[in-house]
Amino acid sequence: MTLDELGTRICIMGPSNSGKSILAEAIRRARSLEVVHLDQLHHLPHTDWVPRPPDEFAALHYKAIAGDRWVIEGNYSRLLPQRMERATGFILLDVPTTTSLYRYVGRCWFERDRRGALEGGRDSVKWDMIRHIVVATRANRIRYRNMIDGISLPKMQIATTGALAAFYRANGLRR
């Protein structure tokens, strides 16, 4: 599957720290699509990941999906049906949990200008997030794998870092 086959409104989902933001930015640069990081819509800027009121998040989400050319990364399944109704393609990243943990710690300790970060926020290692990656991600993986079977859009599942690197190469993407 190539980017051209995925169209001009692409949803990227997957576990925390699976590479969704980096992939979305690479696709944005290659295809001149607007990138939408759902974490930035869902959380208030200049906070330590404080969620917006649900109605405010929903309004920002609806505004984002109204456009004709976008790549949206993030999960937030409460609004997924509306997003999928507008999408032309779907990518599921399904990298191993160890990769997600490694990326999480790395971004907290070493990345200052992380793609998809909250404006004015700073990532720090939190036990709640580590627990989420290790525990909640397992259930989410099963749910996402079951969900992808029912998606009728052009879609792809990328389950290893090697497969992700191959997707970047095949589509001329740069990190």
Side-chain angles (χ1 to χ4, degrees), residues 5-11 70 84 86-90 153-154:
E5 294 171 282
L6 295 172
T8 59
R9 292 186 303 276
I10 302 169
C11 287
W70 45 256
M84 294 302 287
R86 294 274 304 135
T88 59
F90 181 83
L153 299 170

Side-chain angles (χ1 to χ4, degrees), residues 14 21 23 32 40 42 55 87 90 92 98 128 140-141 143 148 164 169:
S21 296
L23 178 58
S32 299
Q40 292 175 343
H42 186 261
D55 291 347
F90 181 83
L92 175 61
T98 52
D128 284 346
N140 289 343
R141 282 181 200 284
R143 191 175 76 228
I148 198 168
L164 184 56
R169 283 190 307 276

